[in-house]
Each structure stands twice: as C-alpha cells, then as structure tokens.
Amino acid sequence: MAVSHAPLKNPQTQPRSISVLGSTGSIGCNTVDLLESNQNAFTVEALTAGSNWKLLAEQAIKLGASVAVINDESAYDDLKNALSGTKIKACAGEAALVEAASMPSDMVVASIVGAAGLKPTMEAAKRGAMVALANKECLVSAGELLLAEVSKGGATLIPVDSEHSAIFQVFDFDNPKSVAGITLTASGGPFRELSLAEMADVTPERALKHPNWDMGAKISIDSATMMNKGLEIIEAFHLFPVALEAIEVLVHPQSVVHSLVSYVDGSVLAQMGTPDMRTPIAYALAWPGRMKAPSKMLSLADVGRLDFEAPDEERFPALRLARQALQTGKSAPTILNAANEIAVAAFLQGRVGFLQIAEIVESVLETVDSSAMGSLDDVLAIDDEARKVALSLINT
Ligand code: NAD
Ligand code: MG
C-alpha cells in the first residue's frame, strides 16, 4: 500500500506548519485563502512561485511566511524590494525551490504544475513530510521513485486531486482485499458532446472554458482532451492498492460524485460535494481531521439529477494512451507526460491543433523506447529526450 497512516498532529490543538509550492496558481491561491481564514490552525514556512513575484510577496506578507521563493531568477530584485521592511527572506532559482521543500514543516502542499514540481516534491517526501499532492504529473512521471522516497522517508501522501481525495475518503485501507475496484468520475470537459470533426478546429480560448471547474491553463486543456483523466488513472494506480484493470472511468457531467469505491459485497461508496477545489484542499490540510471551507454546501434537490455515461476512447484517445503507457511501464508514463506537456503548450501557443495533442503524444511514445529508471536523474533524462522528440514533431 502506497499511502501510510503515520500518527499526526491534530491541527485543532497545535498549529500545523505548512509550505506551499506553487502558491500563486489556482490550487495555490485556494490554499492560501484557506490558510488565511484559519490562521490559528496553521503557520506558514515557505511559499514558492514561478514568476509572479508581486502576488507571491502579497501572499507571504498576508500569511507571515518565513521564506518566499521565486523560480525566475530575473524577478529576485523585485521580490526582495517588495519584501523589504519585513522579516520574510526572499530567494530565487531552482535550488532555492528545492531548499524550500526541505525546510522543516509538518506539511508541504505540492501545487506546482507539471514535471517542474518533481525535485521539490521528492525533497519533501525524502524528509518525511506530509505531502498534500495536487501535482499529479509527479506521480505520473516518477511514481515508483516518489513512492520509494515516501516509504523510506516515512512521509505521508494525501491526495488533493478531487477524485483521489474522494477515493481516499472512502477506501478501506485496512482491508484492501475487500475493494473490488475504483471508479474515477470525469466531467467530460467542454467538448464532451463534440464530434472529432468539430474538435479539429477548436481554439485554445474555447478549450480553456471548463464547464464546472476553474483551473490553471494546463489542466484545463488536459480536461478537454481527457488526458487529465488518463493521468489520473496512473495517479490512482500509484496511490491505491488496486490493479490497473480495477480502475474505471465514468463520465459524469455534473461533477457532484467525485469518485467511487466498489466493495466485494456489492456496496459502492462515493464522496460527493459541489465542484469546488477548496473542499479537497481543506480535507488534505486538516487530515486526519476536518476544517471549515467556504465551498457551497451540496443540495441534491437543487441538482435534481445526476447523469453518467461510459467514456468514448475514439473521440478521447488520451485515455487509451495513458492506460497503454501504464501497461508498458518503465519510462512510458514519463514519456507520455513530457510529450503531453509540450503538446499542450504548443496548442496554447496556436502552433498545433487540438487533435494533434494526442497524436503527438502517441508518436513520441512510439519513437522513444521505454527503459528502466533507477534514479531521478534517469527520469529527468527521459523527460528531456521525450520533450525534444515532441518539439521536433511540432517544428516539422
Ligand atoms: P496553475 O498553472 O494555476 O499554477 C501552477 C503554479 O506552479 C503557479 O504557482 C506557478 O507559478 C508555479 N509554476 C509553474 N511553473 C513553474 C516552474 N517551472 N517552477 C516553479 N514553479 C512553477 O496550475 P493549477 O491549476 O493550480 O495546477 C497545479 C497542479 O495541481 C497541477 O499538477 C494540476 O494538474 C493539479 N490539479 C489542479 C486542479 C485545479 O483545480 N486547478 C485540480 C486537481 C489537480
Ligand atoms: Mg481531478
């Protein structure tokens, strides 16, 4: 079993110290809001961001953080000036990001997007922190290595992704054999009802408009291609003791049932709520307790009906590609993730069409051989190679 249940401090009686990696993003800002409205329960160590030094400085001052780290070194002077007159230390660069994760804190919220979050998340796992994991690409790209660090360091992984939080809340970890399977629900994204021909010329603006969730650009495009659900299959495989064949996907346009666990006696347990990431984030922040979140309470009478349908892998080939990558194993999921990151960025820049995203991922998976990965350096080398192959396909 991947998820360990170490004895934990109760956030109600003792402030829990937290670092947030990627605090200026969609998950990061929601986390900062929750921390701000629960200042008695938490103290803040480090906050980190990619390049938005202004928002990072505001957040650090608001929460009384010890350290603020900006990945973009050219923004260091601006950050330092914005924090002058405070006790908050300003730092910049990738090494400082990893250092922020290694600073003592009870919990690290891993909410950087993409494989860029890999090194700091590994660092947090290594030192045995509780890791509230939003950054699913880490588990996809380096699942086995990350879990090995979690287990060696005595860390605890608490999923933030809404589906995995749902499963985490209803999974009987003491009796994993009583679980027959898990079902990840998927909204189906903005193009759920579009034909392949209609999807061929959708614009990034249209693809970014998710019907239920307000999220960062990369995950919004992943939701539109359903690669997000593909990545989540791999994420679930690493987080929960179930076989790949026992992980199903079910399209559920209302995003009210966040996922389900089926038991051998025929019982099916689900976790529900309005589609608001503040609920799973609050669950992770307070785990094993609970804390108040400002999410709207679910009213099933208002929702009225819940719909479900099987996913269509013809129109959404990303689902098939992710399953195949997991079946192939070794570095195939790393290759899938890296190629997808490059293809999504190219789509957002208007350099490739929407349907080409999955085509590029498939070509890169066919071109780069899957190989064994024994270290983080191996992962980073494969990731780099897959990115180069993806870029060469885009540039020809
Ligand atoms: P986002 O783009 O809104 O934010 C990303 C954060 O990472 C920002 O703080 C950004 O500054 C930082 N960042 C980006 N590149 C960086 C780099 N190279 N180095 C250091 N920092 C960098 O993304 P998001 O939507 O908040 O998603 C974050 C993660 O959470 C993703 O892995 C996503 O799949 C996952 N997730 C998000 C949601 C959601 O509702 N947004 C839901 C489930 C899972
Ligand atoms: Mg999700």
Side-chain angles (χ1 to χ4, degrees):
M1 179 174 63
V3 182
S4 66
H5 289 229
L8 292 158
K9 292 176 193 167
N10 180 344
Q12 265 78 50
T13 56
Q14 188 173 8
R16 178 174 275 182
S17 58
I18 305 243
S19 291
V20 184
L21 310 174
S23 64
T24 56
S26 163
I27 293 287
C29 287
N30 277 322
T31 305
V32 167
D33 288 350
L34 285 165
L35 296 176
E36 193 189 3
S37 48
N38 289 276
Q39 295 216 14
N40 294 336
F42 300 100
T43 59
V44 177
E45 294 304 322
L47 296 181
T48 83
S51 55
N52 190 347
W53 58 269
K54 216 172 183 171
L55 180 57
L56 176 65
E58 270 170 36
Q59 292 176 329
I61 292 168
K62 196 161 68 177
L63 295 178
S66 307
V67 180
V69 182
I70 195 87
N71 185 52
D72 176 0
E73 297 190 32
S74 71
Y76 174 70
D77 288 341
D78 288 327
L79 179 66
K80 198 167 161 49
N81 288 337
L83 294 175
S84 70
T86 73
K87 287 185 183 151
I88 306 162
K89 194 174 166 207
C91 305
E94 201 194 306
L97 210 68
V98 176
E99 229 171 274
S102 72
M103 276 174 65
S105 70
D106 297 320
M107 176 177 272
V108 173
V109 179
S111 52
I112 291 175
V113 59
L118 202 46
K119 280 190 196 167
T121 307
M122 283 279 195
E123 198 61 29
K126 213 179 265 185
R127 72 168 171 85
M130 278 186 273
V131 180
L133 187 76
N135 185 190
K136 67 191 85 186
E137 293 90 347
C138 284
L139 268 181
V140 173
S141 190
E144 270 124 43
L145 285 171
L146 181 59
L147 293 180
E149 292 297 355
V150 164
S151 129
K152 247 197 298 176
T156 306
L157 271 187
I158 305 152
V160 168
D161 214 349
S162 57
E163 299 76 4
H164 305 74
S165 173
I167 293 167
F168 190 72
Q169 293 182 51
V170 295
F171 196 100
D172 187 351
F173 287 101
D174 293 330
N175 299 294
K177 288 211 170 89
S178 66
V179 173
I182 61 178
T183 304
L184 300 168
T185 51
S187 69
F191 306 142
R192 181 172 59 89
E193 291 176 312
L194 261 51
S195 67
L196 274 170
E198 287 167 325
M199 277 190 250
D201 28 61
V202 294
T203 60
E205 291 70 32
R206 254 185 98 188
L208 284 168
K209 284 205 186 93
H210 195 278
N212 304 344
W213 302 94
D214 182 14
M215 309 181 287
K218 196 257 176 183
I219 184 175
S220 296
I221 303 304
D222 283 345
S223 298
T225 60
M226 289 195 77
M227 180 58 90
N228 183 49
K229 214 49 54 181
L231 301 177
E232 288 182 358
I233 292 174
I234 302 176
E235 183 184 11
F237 177 78
H238 290 303
L239 284 173
F240 307 112
V242 289
L244 174 56
E245 308 73 54
I247 306 175
E248 276 184 26
V249 170
L250 184 64
V251 174
H252 166 45
Q254 292 90 355
S255 300
V256 164
V257 175
H258 296 309
S259 277
L260 314 105
V261 177
S262 308
Y263 287 89
V264 288
D265 60 2
S267 294
V268 180
L269 302 193
Q271 183 264 354
M272 292 189 272
T274 50
D276 186 329
M277 284 309 292
R278 291 174 299 186
T279 298
I281 297 170
Y283 181 77
L285 290 178
W287 187 79
R290 292 204 183 248
M291 64 189 259
K292 210 167 158 35
S295 322
K296 189 165 172 258
M297 202 48 85
L298 174 64
S299 161
L300 284 173
D302 287 350
V303 175
R305 58 182 276 179
L306 298 174
D307 297 298
F308 300 94
E309 67 197 38
D312 180 350
E313 295 197 359
E314 293 259 318
R315 286 185 303 129
F316 297 101
L319 283 170
R320 167 180 58 82
L321 294 175
R323 266 190 201 279
Q324 279 172 1
L326 191 53
Q327 252 151 5
T328 306
K330 296 185 197 162
S331 62
T334 317
I335 297 164
L336 170 100
N337 179 66
N340 182 57
E341 286 193 31
I342 293 294
V344 169
F347 171 69
L348 285 169
Q349 292 160 1
R351 295 171 65 205
V352 301
F354 182 74
L355 295 179
Q356 276 177 278
I357 299 174
E359 286 167 17
I360 290 165
V361 173
E362 185 152 28
S363 300
V364 178
L365 279 166
E366 281 164 6
T367 311
V368 184
D369 286 335
S370 175
S371 54
M373 301 186 301
S375 67
L376 186 55
D377 285 343
D378 293 347
V379 174
L380 297 174
I382 297 276
D383 175 277
D384 192 51
E385 186 190 354
R387 278 169 205 266
K388 285 189 180 129
V389 174
L391 278 172
S392 71
L393 291 171
I394 290 162
N395 294 332
T396 51

Short mmCIF file of all heavy atoms in Angstrom, two decimals, residues 335-384:
data_model
loop_
_atom_site.label_atom_id
_atom_site.label_comp_id
_atom_site.label_asym_id
_atom_site.label_seq_id
_atom_site.Cartn_x
_atom_site.Cartn_y
_atom_site.Cartn_z
N ILE A 335 7.39 9.43 -20.48
CA ILE A 335 7.39 9.89 -21.87
C ILE A 335 6.02 10.51 -22.22
O ILE A 335 5.93 11.59 -22.80
CB ILE A 335 7.73 8.72 -22.83
CG1 ILE A 335 9.15 8.21 -22.54
CG2 ILE A 335 7.57 9.12 -24.28
CD1 ILE A 335 9.47 6.84 -23.12
N LEU A 336 4.96 9.80 -21.81
CA LEU A 336 3.59 10.30 -22.05
C LEU A 336 3.42 11.69 -21.45
O LEU A 336 2.94 12.62 -22.09
CB LEU A 336 2.60 9.32 -21.39
CG LEU A 336 1.13 9.76 -21.31
CD1 LEU A 336 0.31 9.11 -22.42
CD2 LEU A 336 0.50 9.40 -19.97
N ASN A 337 3.85 11.84 -20.20
CA ASN A 337 3.66 13.12 -19.50
C ASN A 337 4.45 14.25 -20.15
O ASN A 337 3.93 15.33 -20.39
CB ASN A 337 4.05 12.98 -18.03
CG ASN A 337 3.88 14.29 -17.30
OD1 ASN A 337 2.76 14.76 -17.13
ND2 ASN A 337 4.98 14.91 -16.92
N ALA A 338 5.72 13.96 -20.47
CA ALA A 338 6.58 15.01 -21.05
C ALA A 338 6.05 15.43 -22.42
O ALA A 338 5.95 16.63 -22.72
CB ALA A 338 8.02 14.50 -21.15
N ALA A 339 5.69 14.45 -23.26
CA ALA A 339 5.17 14.76 -24.60
C ALA A 339 3.89 15.57 -24.48
O ALA A 339 3.66 16.53 -25.23
CB ALA A 339 4.93 13.47 -25.37
N ASN A 340 3.05 15.20 -23.52
CA ASN A 340 1.78 15.92 -23.34
C ASN A 340 2.03 17.36 -22.91
O ASN A 340 1.38 18.28 -23.39
CB ASN A 340 0.92 15.18 -22.32
CG ASN A 340 -0.43 15.85 -22.13
OD1 ASN A 340 -1.18 16.03 -23.09
ND2 ASN A 340 -0.72 16.25 -20.91
N GLU A 341 2.99 17.58 -22.01
CA GLU A 341 3.28 18.95 -21.56
C GLU A 341 3.70 19.82 -22.74
O GLU A 341 3.26 20.97 -22.88
CB GLU A 341 4.37 18.96 -20.47
CG GLU A 341 3.85 18.46 -19.12
CD GLU A 341 4.80 18.75 -17.95
OE1 GLU A 341 5.52 19.76 -17.98
OE2 GLU A 341 4.81 17.95 -17.01
N ILE A 342 4.53 19.27 -23.60
CA ILE A 342 5.00 20.03 -24.77
C ILE A 342 3.84 20.26 -25.75
O ILE A 342 3.66 21.37 -26.27
CB ILE A 342 6.16 19.28 -25.48
CG1 ILE A 342 7.40 19.24 -24.57
CG2 ILE A 342 6.48 19.88 -26.84
CD1 ILE A 342 8.04 20.60 -24.31
N ALA A 343 3.06 19.22 -26.00
CA ALA A 343 1.95 19.35 -26.96
C ALA A 343 0.90 20.34 -26.47
O ALA A 343 0.37 21.14 -27.26
CB ALA A 343 1.33 17.97 -27.22
N VAL A 344 0.60 20.33 -25.17
CA VAL A 344 -0.39 21.27 -24.62
C VAL A 344 0.13 22.71 -24.75
O VAL A 344 -0.60 23.61 -25.15
CB VAL A 344 -0.72 20.92 -23.14
CG1 VAL A 344 -1.52 22.04 -22.48
CG2 VAL A 344 -1.48 19.61 -23.06
N ALA A 345 1.42 22.90 -24.43
CA ALA A 345 1.99 24.25 -24.55
C ALA A 345 1.92 24.72 -26.00
O ALA A 345 1.58 25.88 -26.27
CB ALA A 345 3.44 24.25 -24.04
N ALA A 346 2.20 23.82 -26.94
CA ALA A 346 2.17 24.19 -28.37
C ALA A 346 0.73 24.52 -28.80
O ALA A 346 0.51 25.46 -29.57
CB ALA A 346 2.73 23.05 -29.22
N PHE A 347 -0.24 23.78 -28.28
CA PHE A 347 -1.64 24.08 -28.61
C PHE A 347 -2.02 25.46 -28.06
O PHE A 347 -2.65 26.27 -28.75
CB PHE A 347 -2.57 23.00 -28.04
CG PHE A 347 -4.03 23.35 -28.14
CD1 PHE A 347 -4.66 23.41 -29.39
CD2 PHE A 347 -4.78 23.67 -27.01
CE1 PHE A 347 -6.01 23.76 -29.50
CE2 PHE A 347 -6.11 24.02 -27.11
CZ PHE A 347 -6.73 24.07 -28.36
N LEU A 348 -1.60 25.74 -26.83
CA LEU A 348 -1.93 27.04 -26.22
C LEU A 348 -1.29 28.19 -26.99
O LEU A 348 -1.82 29.29 -27.04
CB LEU A 348 -1.49 27.07 -24.75
CG LEU A 348 -2.37 26.28 -23.78
CD1 LEU A 348 -1.71 26.15 -22.41
CD2 LEU A 348 -3.75 26.95 -23.64
N GLN A 349 -0.14 27.91 -27.64
CA GLN A 349 0.54 28.95 -28.44
C GLN A 349 -0.01 29.00 -29.87
O GLN A 349 0.51 29.73 -30.71
CB GLN A 349 2.04 28.66 -28.51
CG GLN A 349 2.77 28.83 -27.19
CD GLN A 349 4.11 28.07 -27.17
OE1 GLN A 349 4.50 27.43 -28.16
NE2 GLN A 349 4.80 28.14 -26.05
N GLY A 350 -0.99 28.17 -30.18
CA GLY A 350 -1.57 28.16 -31.53
C GLY A 350 -0.69 27.49 -32.56
O GLY A 350 -0.87 27.68 -33.76
N ARG A 351 0.27 26.67 -32.10
CA ARG A 351 1.19 26.05 -33.06
C ARG A 351 0.70 24.69 -33.56
O ARG A 351 1.17 24.21 -34.59
CB ARG A 351 2.58 25.90 -32.43
CG ARG A 351 3.20 27.27 -32.12
CD ARG A 351 4.45 27.13 -31.31
NE ARG A 351 5.51 26.47 -32.01
CZ ARG A 351 6.50 25.82 -31.42
NH1 ARG A 351 6.56 25.75 -30.11
NH2 ARG A 351 7.44 25.24 -32.12
N VAL A 352 -0.17 24.04 -32.81
CA VAL A 352 -0.75 22.77 -33.28
C VAL A 352 -2.25 22.79 -32.98
O VAL A 352 -2.72 23.55 -32.13
CB VAL A 352 -0.11 21.52 -32.59
CG1 VAL A 352 1.38 21.46 -32.84
CG2 VAL A 352 -0.40 21.49 -31.09
N GLY A 353 -2.98 21.94 -33.70
CA GLY A 353 -4.42 21.85 -33.48
C GLY A 353 -4.74 20.98 -32.27
O GLY A 353 -3.87 20.27 -31.75
N PHE A 354 -6.00 21.02 -31.86
CA PHE A 354 -6.42 20.30 -30.65
C PHE A 354 -6.20 18.79 -30.77
O PHE A 354 -5.68 18.16 -29.85
CB PHE A 354 -7.90 20.61 -30.40
CG PHE A 354 -8.45 19.97 -29.16
CD1 PHE A 354 -8.10 20.48 -27.90
CD2 PHE A 354 -9.30 18.88 -29.23
CE1 PHE A 354 -8.60 19.89 -26.75
CE2 PHE A 354 -9.80 18.29 -28.08
CZ PHE A 354 -9.45 18.80 -26.85
N LEU A 355 -6.57 18.22 -31.94
CA LEU A 355 -6.45 16.76 -32.08
C LEU A 355 -4.99 16.30 -32.18
O LEU A 355 -4.67 15.14 -31.92
CB LEU A 355 -7.22 16.28 -33.31
CG LEU A 355 -8.74 16.47 -33.23
CD1 LEU A 355 -9.40 15.98 -34.52
CD2 LEU A 355 -9.34 15.73 -32.03
N GLN A 356 -4.13 17.25 -32.54
CA GLN A 356 -2.71 16.88 -32.64
C GLN A 356 -2.07 16.61 -31.28
O GLN A 356 -1.03 15.96 -31.20
CB GLN A 356 -1.92 18.00 -33.34
CG GLN A 356 -2.00 17.90 -34.86
CD GLN A 356 -1.26 19.06 -35.47
OE1 GLN A 356 -1.81 20.16 -35.58
NE2 GLN A 356 -0.02 18.82 -35.83
N ILE A 357 -2.70 17.10 -30.21
CA ILE A 357 -2.10 16.88 -28.88
C ILE A 357 -1.92 15.37 -28.64
O ILE A 357 -0.82 14.90 -28.36
CB ILE A 357 -2.97 17.53 -27.75
CG1 ILE A 357 -3.07 19.04 -27.95
CG2 ILE A 357 -2.38 17.20 -26.37
CD1 ILE A 357 -4.01 19.75 -26.98
N ALA A 358 -3.01 14.62 -28.81
CA ALA A 358 -2.92 13.16 -28.58
C ALA A 358 -2.05 12.50 -29.65
O ALA A 358 -1.32 11.54 -29.36
CB ALA A 358 -4.31 12.55 -28.56
N GLU A 359 -2.11 13.02 -30.89
CA GLU A 359 -1.28 12.43 -31.96
C GLU A 359 0.20 12.57 -31.63
O GLU A 359 0.98 11.63 -31.83
CB GLU A 359 -1.58 13.13 -33.29
CG GLU A 359 -2.91 12.73 -33.90
CD GLU A 359 -3.33 13.65 -35.06
OE1 GLU A 359 -2.47 14.39 -35.60
OE2 GLU A 359 -4.52 13.63 -35.40
N ILE A 360 0.58 13.73 -31.13
CA ILE A 360 2.00 13.96 -30.78
C ILE A 360 2.40 13.00 -29.65
O ILE A 360 3.46 12.35 -29.70
CB ILE A 360 2.22 15.44 -30.36
CG1 ILE A 360 2.07 16.34 -31.59
CG2 ILE A 360 3.59 15.63 -29.69
CD1 ILE A 360 1.92 17.82 -31.28
N VAL A 361 1.54 12.89 -28.64
CA VAL A 361 1.86 12.01 -27.51
C VAL A 361 2.05 10.57 -28.02
O VAL A 361 3.01 9.88 -27.66
CB VAL A 361 0.75 12.07 -26.43
CG1 VAL A 361 1.00 11.04 -25.34
CG2 VAL A 361 0.68 13.48 -25.82
N GLU A 362 1.15 10.14 -28.90
CA GLU A 362 1.23 8.77 -29.43
C GLU A 362 2.52 8.58 -30.23
O GLU A 362 3.22 7.58 -30.06
CB GLU A 362 0.00 8.46 -30.29
CG GLU A 362 -0.03 7.03 -30.77
CD GLU A 362 -1.42 6.49 -31.02
OE1 GLU A 362 -2.33 7.28 -31.34
OE2 GLU A 362 -1.60 5.25 -30.88
N SER A 363 2.87 9.55 -31.07
CA SER A 363 4.10 9.42 -31.88
C SER A 363 5.33 9.37 -30.98
O SER A 363 6.26 8.61 -31.24
CB SER A 363 4.27 10.61 -32.82
OG SER A 363 3.20 10.68 -33.69
N VAL A 364 5.36 10.21 -29.95
CA VAL A 364 6.54 10.21 -29.07
C VAL A 364 6.64 8.87 -28.34
O VAL A 364 7.73 8.30 -28.21
CB VAL A 364 6.51 11.41 -28.08
CG1 VAL A 364 7.71 11.36 -27.15
CG2 VAL A 364 6.48 12.73 -28.84
N LEU A 365 5.50 8.34 -27.93
CA LEU A 365 5.52 7.03 -27.25
C LEU A 365 6.03 5.93 -28.19
O LEU A 365 6.69 4.98 -27.76
CB LEU A 365 4.12 6.66 -26.75
CG LEU A 365 3.69 7.30 -25.43
CD1 LEU A 365 2.19 7.14 -25.20
CD2 LEU A 365 4.47 6.72 -24.24
N GLU A 366 5.73 6.08 -29.48
CA GLU A 366 6.21 5.09 -30.46
C GLU A 366 7.69 5.27 -30.77
O GLU A 366 8.39 4.32 -31.11
CB GLU A 366 5.40 5.21 -31.76
CG GLU A 366 4.04 4.53 -31.66
CD GLU A 366 3.08 4.96 -32.76
OE1 GLU A 366 3.50 5.71 -33.67
OE2 GLU A 366 1.91 4.56 -32.68
N THR A 367 8.18 6.50 -30.65
CA THR A 367 9.57 6.80 -31.04
C THR A 367 10.58 6.52 -29.92
O THR A 367 11.65 5.98 -30.16
CB THR A 367 9.70 8.30 -31.45
OG1 THR A 367 8.66 8.59 -32.36
CG2 THR A 367 11.04 8.58 -32.07
N VAL A 368 10.23 6.94 -28.71
CA VAL A 368 11.19 6.80 -27.60
C VAL A 368 10.93 5.46 -26.89
O VAL A 368 9.81 5.20 -26.43
CB VAL A 368 11.04 7.97 -26.59
CG1 VAL A 368 12.08 7.87 -25.49
CG2 VAL A 368 11.12 9.31 -27.30
N ASP A 369 11.97 4.64 -26.83
CA ASP A 369 11.80 3.33 -26.18
C ASP A 369 11.63 3.47 -24.68
O ASP A 369 12.29 4.31 -24.06
CB ASP A 369 13.02 2.45 -26.45
CG ASP A 369 13.03 1.95 -27.88
OD1 ASP A 369 11.94 1.87 -28.47
OD2 ASP A 369 14.14 1.68 -28.40
N SER A 370 10.77 2.63 -24.12
CA SER A 370 10.61 2.64 -22.68
C SER A 370 11.81 1.94 -22.04
O SER A 370 12.18 0.85 -22.45
CB SER A 370 9.32 1.92 -22.30
OG SER A 370 9.22 1.84 -20.92
N SER A 371 12.41 2.60 -21.06
CA SER A 371 13.59 2.00 -20.42
C SER A 371 13.47 2.08 -18.90
O SER A 371 12.67 2.87 -18.39
CB SER A 371 14.85 2.71 -20.89
OG SER A 371 14.71 4.09 -20.67
N ALA A 372 14.27 1.30 -18.21
CA ALA A 372 14.20 1.28 -16.74
C ALA A 372 14.74 2.60 -16.19
O ALA A 372 15.63 3.21 -16.77
CB ALA A 372 15.02 0.12 -16.21
N MET A 373 14.17 3.03 -15.07
CA MET A 373 14.63 4.29 -14.45
C MET A 373 14.96 4.01 -12.99
O MET A 373 14.07 3.68 -12.21
CB MET A 373 13.54 5.35 -14.53
CG MET A 373 13.09 5.68 -15.94
SD MET A 373 11.91 7.05 -15.99
CE MET A 373 10.61 6.42 -14.96
N GLY A 374 16.25 4.17 -12.65
CA GLY A 374 16.64 3.84 -11.28
C GLY A 374 16.81 5.07 -10.39
O GLY A 374 16.97 4.94 -9.18
N SER A 375 16.82 6.25 -11.00
CA SER A 375 17.08 7.45 -10.20
C SER A 375 16.33 8.64 -10.80
O SER A 375 15.85 8.57 -11.94
CB SER A 375 18.57 7.77 -10.22
OG SER A 375 18.94 8.15 -11.54
N LEU A 376 16.30 9.72 -10.03
CA LEU A 376 15.65 10.94 -10.51
C LEU A 376 16.37 11.46 -11.75
O LEU A 376 15.73 11.98 -12.68
CB LEU A 376 15.65 11.99 -9.38
CG LEU A 376 14.90 13.28 -9.66
CD1 LEU A 376 13.46 13.02 -10.07
CD2 LEU A 376 14.94 14.20 -8.45
N ASP A 377 17.69 11.29 -11.80
CA ASP A 377 18.42 11.73 -12.99
C ASP A 377 17.96 10.97 -14.24
O ASP A 377 17.85 11.55 -15.32
CB ASP A 377 19.94 11.52 -12.80
CG ASP A 377 20.52 12.58 -11.86
OD1 ASP A 377 19.84 13.60 -11.65
OD2 ASP A 377 21.63 12.37 -11.33
N ASP A 378 17.69 9.66 -14.07
CA ASP A 378 17.16 8.89 -15.21
C ASP A 378 15.83 9.47 -15.68
O ASP A 378 15.58 9.62 -16.88
CB ASP A 378 16.92 7.41 -14.81
CG ASP A 378 18.21 6.68 -14.51
OD1 ASP A 378 19.29 7.21 -14.85
OD2 ASP A 378 18.14 5.57 -13.93
N VAL A 379 14.96 9.79 -14.71
CA VAL A 379 13.65 10.34 -15.05
C VAL A 379 13.82 11.65 -15.81
O VAL A 379 13.20 11.86 -16.87
CB VAL A 379 12.80 10.61 -13.77
CG1 VAL A 379 11.49 11.31 -14.11
CG2 VAL A 379 12.53 9.31 -13.02
N LEU A 380 14.71 12.51 -15.30
CA LEU A 380 14.89 13.82 -15.93
C LEU A 380 15.48 13.68 -17.33
O LEU A 380 15.13 14.43 -18.25
CB LEU A 380 15.76 14.72 -15.04
CG LEU A 380 15.14 15.04 -13.67
CD1 LEU A 380 16.12 15.80 -12.78
CD2 LEU A 380 13.84 15.82 -13.81
N ALA A 381 16.37 12.67 -17.52
CA ALA A 381 16.98 12.46 -18.85
C ALA A 381 15.91 11.99 -19.85
O ALA A 381 15.84 12.47 -20.99
CB ALA A 381 18.11 11.46 -18.75
N ILE A 382 15.06 11.04 -19.42
CA ILE A 382 13.99 10.55 -20.31
C ILE A 382 13.00 11.67 -20.62
O ILE A 382 12.56 11.84 -21.77
CB ILE A 382 13.23 9.38 -19.62
CG1 ILE A 382 14.15 8.18 -19.38
CG2 ILE A 382 11.99 9.00 -20.40
CD1 ILE A 382 14.31 7.27 -20.55
N ASP A 383 12.66 12.41 -19.57
CA ASP A 383 11.72 13.53 -19.72
C ASP A 383 12.26 14.50 -20.78
O ASP A 383 11.53 14.93 -21.68
CB ASP A 383 11.57 14.21 -18.35
CG ASP A 383 10.71 15.46 -18.38
OD1 ASP A 383 11.24 16.54 -18.72
OD2 ASP A 383 9.51 15.36 -18.07
N ASP A 384 13.55 14.79 -20.69
CA ASP A 384 14.18 15.73 -21.62
C ASP A 384 14.16 15.19 -23.05
O ASP A 384 13.84 15.90 -24.00
CB ASP A 384 15.63 15.95 -21.12
CG ASP A 384 16.28 17.10 -21.84
OD1 ASP A 384 15.65 18.17 -21.87
OD2 ASP A 384 17.39 16.92 -22.39
#
